[in-house]
Amino acid sequence: MTLLTAQQVMDIIPNRYPIFFIDAVDELIPGEKIVCRKNVTINEHVFQGHFPGEPVLPGVFICEALAQAGSIPLLQMEGFQGKTAYLGGLNKVKFRQKVVPGDVLRLQVDIVKLRKNAGIGYGQAFVGDKKVAEAEMTFIIGAK
């Protein structure tokens, strides 16, 4: 069930094409958790060069998708609405499987720690039931 569309997500985060990676939000608890989707299509510009004849979504794009997802529950909290969440760090990043056109990435981020203007999230990306990537992310909340 879609809770937020891509257009509604663009009202929350500043990212736009070609670096906007959230197609729908399925679950959202402000300050706690998000589950959303990214449809991986052959039309994405990165597949022109990564890799010809064997398109693979770069891991950095998966990390960016997780970061965009993780910023949403923070920016839906009272006091952070209308601001921007910047990625301040990535730790314990692991890639477990290739992501290719036709896959649907399910992005889940749990906010595990909150401070005055920062948060730490644990993100996982899945294709079906298989975990394809995970990362611990630090977010810094700044002015818009």
Side-chain angles (χ1 to χ4, degrees):
M1 176 175 71
T2 299
L3 187 63
L4 296 173
T5 65
Q7 190 61 50
Q8 291 168 313
V9 171
M10 285 192 261
D11 292 337
I12 300 168
I13 65 174
N15 303 73
R16 298 295 181 266
Y17 177 82
I19 194 96
F20 178 73
F21 297 135
I22 306 297
D23 291 316
V25 173
D26 297 318
E27 185 179 338
L28 174 62
I29 303 170
E32 293 182 27
K33 178 182 180 177
I34 190 166
V35 178
C36 52
R37 284 176 275 141
K38 160 70 179 137
N39 299 312
V40 181
T41 69
I42 193 65
N43 297 324
E44 312 223 20
H45 70 285
V46 69
F47 292 135
Q48 293 176 25
H50 199 268
F51 297 105
E54 185 186 354
V56 176
L57 188 67
V60 68
F61 281 47
I62 299 169
C63 289
E64 175 63 23
L66 286 168
Q68 288 179 23
S71 69
I72 297 166
L74 293 170
L75 296 175
Q76 288 300 102
M77 294 175 54
E78 190 173 322
F80 290 161
Q81 293 174 345
K83 296 189 176 188
T84 300
Y86 297 96
L87 184 61
L90 287 169
N91 291 305
K92 301 176 185 171
V93 179
K94 293 182 183 172
F95 302 103
R96 302 177 180 281
Q97 179 178 310
K98 290 191 298 185
V99 176
V100 299
D103 286 344
V104 176
L105 274 177
R106 180 170 47 90
L107 307 162
Q108 178 176 324
V109 179
D110 296 294
I111 305 302
V112 296
K113 194 174 201 178
L114 286 170
R115 295 222 170 148
K116 184 177 178 180
N117 67 338
I120 295 176
Y122 172 66
Q124 301 176 87
F126 298 88
V127 172
D129 291 334
K130 288 191 173 189
K131 186 189 300 184
V132 297
E134 63 186 304
E136 183 180 280
M137 301 167 286
T138 302
F139 297 94
I140 308 299
I141 308 299
K144 191 164 190 169

